[in-house]
Amino acid sequence: MDNLSDALKKLKITATDSTADSLEGCLDCLLQALAQNNMETSEKIQKSGVLQVFASLLMPQSSCTAKVANIIAEVARNEFMRNPCVDAGLIPPLVQMLNCKDQEVLLQTGRALGNICYDSHEGRNAVDHAGGAHIVVDLIRSLCSKTDPASEKLLTVFCGMLMNYSNENDTLQSQLINMGVIPTLVKLLGIHCQNAALTEMCLVAFGNLAELESSKEQFAYTNIAEELVKLFKKQVEHDKKEMIFEVLAPLAENDVIKLQLVEAGLVECLLEVVQKTVDSDKEDDVAELKTASDLMVLLLLGDESMQKLFEGGRGSVFQRVLSWIPSNSHQLQLAGALAIANFARNDGNCIHMVDNGIVQKLMDLLDRHVEDGNVTVQHAALSALRNLAIPVVNKAKMLSAGVAEAVLKFLRSEMPPVQFKLLGTLRMLIDAQAEAAEQLGKNAKLVERLVEWCEAKDHAGVMGESNRLLSALIRHSKSKDVIRTIVQSGGIKHLVTMATSEHVIMQNEALVALALIAALELVTAEKDLENAQLVQILHRLLSDDRSAPEIKYNSMVLVCALIGSESLQKEVQNMAFLEVVSKLRSHENKTVAQQASLTEQRLAVES
């Protein structure tokens, strides 16, 4: 350490006019001390004020430049040294050194800049200001095709430098993307796929950049999908596969890249991973199984990639995914059900799947998760059933297969995501199915639960779906018994509130259901309609210029129906509806104008 103190003093005093030999000796002494105890030596270097001296030693023609850059790289491994390096003005001369032709100088300069940028806002800003990233990108481009060990080492360092420079910084990542770094890095990966260190550096850089939306568009114009799949096939170690997965996941969010990955054979790789890991309980295998099956589901979110893998329901991938549903692995059950939900995104696929027995498989899966079941599996299986129930021809088939009964087993669930999907599935099933709507609408337990969920203010989705299902039970059954059940359970006030929803479709559904109640069971519902202030709400809807034409139309139909009740008729008279309705006779929508004339006549007669 005495030698170190001497070297620091000597450097400070004689840096400007000493001979190269004596300088080399001092620098060697510093490097030796750093190798023995980096942190302590770095502290001494900082205290000595020698950092400022280094700025003047960084000269292209000097034989000491590489050693000075090496020392800076070593001290900058310590977090506390990065800002002092910036403050000492080392960034501009280091960036100048990137124009040097000497490979050792380039290597150590790349290391120094990379280490100063690591987790340092000040370091990155200084490099940005000095134009360092631009030079490094150009250097990578010019070295890209060289496969000699020295060039590959340089490329690895430069990629690392760019990674530290832009890590978790959207602005700097965008800057690199605009410089066209993505095609260069993809080309690099293809040429140097045998070099593990460089490959790894490329992957980390991709992982960094792939989160940005603008990067995905650029990636889509390269052969990244092909290169990553090629690389994935070679991997044996879990860590390396995991690294590739981390790049694939954000890239696969882009529909164009999804299709490229499918065409490059990624799905076959994923299925192989699933096959190898499904029966293992090793931590790495469990993680790989999850990542591979999740990625598989993600690929199916793209319309083109999904249809390509469905292959008219005959595709081997589709068949393999089907086999996941009866599996004993919760992860595969989940992925299988989510995959079916993704395949069920158009009528043709849904009809084919229902005709080929998929519904029974999903019901069997749900049965395994009724008591203390896995919530994510329940949610996924219900999502799949909901999607399958959308085509008209599937509804009756699914009802006769017992889907409604299977779904009702989850009425006790306290999990909002499960409640939400359960409600959506039942609503899809009863659409235009009068008998099923009546059967469910007379089920007091179901209706009571719906009324309870209509008050779930913490879960807007559940609240909305409960209201919509209540309305659907009335609209599709047109049954007095159903209306009586809903009145007895206290559901009327929720339908009236639904008529004030910000969503026109929900307002409309509520008004149609209320009109049916008024037409079929007005006496039974009269008191509840009064208490819920329906008449005042209708007056507001008709007076409001922002109300959609169909809302105005259905509100008037409902007003006409309410006149059949003495107490409600009085309310209508007291609120001067005639005035509001007569204005609507000149409404631009002909149907609204005609209904306004009819309503005006009815109101005039009754008054």
Side-chain angles (χ1 to χ4, degrees):
M1 277 300 156
D2 288 346
N3 288 352
L4 173 63
S5 303
D6 290 347
L8 288 168
K9 278 180 196 159
K10 201 185 250 185
L11 262 177
K12 211 168 172 197
I13 297 162
T14 61
T16 46
D17 55 356
S18 65
T19 62
D21 288 349
S22 63
L23 265 182
E24 294 255 0
C26 295
L27 297 173
D28 285 339
C29 179
L30 261 60
L31 283 168
Q32 214 174 340
L34 283 163
Q36 285 167 3
N37 189 332
N38 191 312
M39 192 183 282
E40 199 179 314
T41 306
S42 295
E43 282 173 349
K44 288 193 181 232
I45 289 172
Q46 188 190 359
K47 282 176 188 161
S48 72
V50 134
L51 283 177
Q52 283 80 355
V53 173
F54 288 157
S56 62
L57 294 176
L58 288 165
M59 293 180 293
Q61 63 275 29
S62 166
S63 58
C64 303
T65 302
K67 280 183 183 171
V68 175
N70 190 358
I71 292 167
I72 298 169
E74 287 302 316
V75 300
R77 287 167 64 184
N78 302 287
E79 191 182 344
F80 67 88
M81 288 299 290
R82 290 171 199 147
N83 282 2
C85 284
V86 175
D87 296 339
L90 296 179
I91 301 293
L94 279 170
V95 168
Q96 283 309 307
M97 289 306 103
L98 291 170
N99 296 308
C100 179
K101 295 287 175 265
D102 185 294
Q103 287 219 320
E104 185 60 21
V105 171
L106 285 173
L107 187 75
Q108 299 305 341
T109 302
R111 283 185 63 232
L113 289 169
N115 289 353
I116 292 170
C117 285
Y118 185 80
D119 261 356
S120 165
H121 183 63
E122 290 73 15
R124 291 169 181 179
N125 273 353
V127 172
D128 179 22
H129 194 67
H134 214 296
I135 300 172
V136 170
V137 171
D138 284 345
L139 281 167
I140 292 174
R141 220 168 261 142
S142 64
L143 290 165
C144 187
S145 304
K146 296 185 177 175
T147 53
D148 59 285
S151 296
E152 289 199 322
K153 201 172 178 185
L154 265 182
L155 283 165
T156 307
V157 166
F158 287 149
C159 285
M161 182 257 159
L162 288 184
M163 188 184 76
N164 287 353
Y165 171 72
S166 65
N167 189 33
E168 292 182 355
N169 185 313
D170 288 2
T171 310
L172 296 179
Q173 286 172 0
S174 296
Q175 181 196 74
L176 292 180
I177 291 164
N178 292 337
M179 286 178 194
V181 77
I182 286 173
T184 305
L185 289 176
V186 174
K187 187 177 169 190
L188 202 64
L189 184 68
I191 295 170
H192 302 272
C193 56
Q194 303 304 326
N195 184 312
L198 185 47
T199 297
E200 205 165 298
M201 214 44 98
C202 279
L203 288 173
V204 179
F206 289 149
N208 244 345
L209 299 169
E211 297 291 341
L212 282 191
E213 211 45 55
S214 57
S215 79
K216 289 169 195 167
E217 290 159 23
Q218 279 211 16
F219 274 118
Y221 285 106
T222 70
N223 62 336
I224 184 74
E226 209 178 303
E227 293 297 352
L228 288 174
V229 172
K230 206 168 24 174
L231 193 61
F232 188 84
K233 285 176 179 171
K234 292 180 192 166
Q235 303 312 317
V236 183
E237 293 169 47
H238 167 75
D239 290 349
K240 293 280 161 55
K241 286 184 190 171
E242 203 59 43
M243 233 175 165
I244 299 170
F245 275 143
E246 279 171 19
V247 180
L248 287 169
L251 287 180
E253 287 169 9
N254 177 285
D255 282 0
V256 177
I257 300 175
K258 276 186 185 80
L259 189 60
Q260 291 171 355
L261 289 167
V262 167
E263 286 170 346
L266 179 61
V267 172
E268 289 71 16
C269 297
L270 297 176
L271 290 173
E272 202 177 311
V273 170
V274 168
Q275 203 172 342
K276 282 179 183 168
T277 55
V278 66
D279 297 320
S280 168
D281 49 12
K282 283 201 299 196
E283 203 178 320
D284 283 356
D285 288 345
V286 172
E288 256 181 59
L289 175 73
K290 178 173 172 24
T291 311
S293 52
D294 284 349
L295 191 48
M296 183 78 200
V297 172
L298 183 57
L299 291 176
L300 293 173
L301 277 171
D303 287 339
E304 280 188 79
S305 49
M306 176 272 287
Q307 213 52 45
K308 190 175 179 67
L309 294 170
F310 189 66
E311 287 183 68
R314 292 179 298 279
S316 61
V317 173
F318 174 64
Q319 297 304 327
R320 287 280 286 281
V321 166
L322 280 190
S323 72
W324 293 357
I325 293 173
S327 148
N328 288 321
S329 154
H330 279 183
Q331 175 56 36
L332 276 196
Q333 292 170 3
L334 169 65
L338 287 173
I340 297 305
N342 285 345
F343 279 125
R345 284 211 315 279
N346 64 52
D347 282 7
N349 292 5
C350 288
I351 292 164
H352 177 90
M353 285 192 276
V354 168
D355 287 346
N356 284 273
I358 189 70
V359 169
Q360 193 57 51
K361 284 186 170 69
L362 289 167
M363 291 201 304
D364 292 345
L365 176 60
L366 277 174
D367 257 352
R368 294 166 70 179
H369 289 276
V370 175
E371 299 300 329
D372 306 318
N374 182 302
V375 174
T376 52
V377 175
Q378 292 171 358
H379 180 261
L382 288 167
S383 295
L385 286 170
R386 181 198 174 282
N387 287 3
L388 290 168
I390 292 171
V392 177
V393 294
N394 281 358
K395 296 179 197 294
K397 293 174 189 172
M398 290 175 73
L399 285 163
S400 60
V403 173
E405 292 75 11
V407 169
L408 285 172
K409 289 177 187 172
F410 293 91
L411 258 188
R412 288 170 303 182
S413 173
E414 293 302 330
M415 305 306 292
V418 174
Q419 295 166 354
F420 181 72
K421 286 297 174 187
L422 171 154
L423 292 163
T425 308
L426 290 176
R427 189 164 63 79
M428 283 302 155
L429 280 170
I430 63 164
D431 190 7
Q433 306 296 310
E435 199 179 316
E438 180 162 15
Q439 205 178 339
L440 286 173
K442 290 193 295 192
N443 180 332
K445 268 190 183 156
L446 167 64
V447 174
E448 279 162 20
R449 196 72 161 129
L450 291 183
V451 170
E452 184 189 327
W453 286 341
C454 281
E455 289 168 3
K457 291 193 167 54
D458 292 343
H459 302 287
V462 172
M463 195 162 82
E465 275 294 343
S466 303
N467 278 303
R468 293 190 77 185
L469 183 52
L470 262 188
S471 157
L473 291 169
I474 295 168
R475 287 183 297 112
H476 298 303
S477 70
K478 300 181 176 60
S479 153
K480 292 185 171 202
D481 288 339
V482 170
I483 294 169
R484 280 195 285 267
T485 309
I486 289 172
V487 171
Q488 280 156 16
S489 302
I492 296 296
K493 62 181 180 193
H494 297 299
L495 290 170
V496 174
T497 305
M498 183 181 167
T500 64
S501 164
E502 59 193 31
H503 305 291
V504 173
I505 191 164
M506 285 177 69
Q507 279 187 295
N508 222 21
E509 287 171 0
L511 291 168
V512 173
L514 289 164
L516 283 164
I517 292 168
L520 298 171
E521 276 294 324
L522 186 53
V523 176
T524 315
E526 183 179 51
K527 204 82 205 127
D528 288 353
L529 293 171
E530 225 174 299
N531 292 338
Q533 301 192 315
L534 174 61
V535 173
Q536 288 86 329
I537 285 167
L538 291 174
H539 190 275
R540 203 159 66 233
L541 290 174
L542 288 170
S543 309
D544 191 343
D545 292 338
R546 292 165 302 177
S547 293
E550 58 268 41
I551 301 302
K552 291 193 184 290
Y553 174 84
N554 283 321
S555 295
M556 288 188 281
V557 169
L558 183 47
V559 169
C560 293
L562 293 178
I563 292 168
S565 149
E566 201 176 317
S567 59
L568 291 167
Q569 185 196 349
K570 271 187 189 149
E571 284 192 23
V572 170
Q573 283 171 344
N574 292 340
M575 288 209 69
F577 266 82
L578 260 173
E579 192 183 321
V580 179
V581 170
S582 62
K583 280 183 190 167
L584 292 174
R585 277 172 36 208
S586 56
H587 196 277
E588 59 187 358
N589 183 296
K590 279 187 183 156
T591 317
V592 172
Q594 282 169 354
Q595 185 57 42
S597 296
L598 291 171
T599 307
E600 190 181 32
Q601 287 164 25
R602 284 292 308 275
L603 291 173
V605 169
E606 297 298 334
S607 62

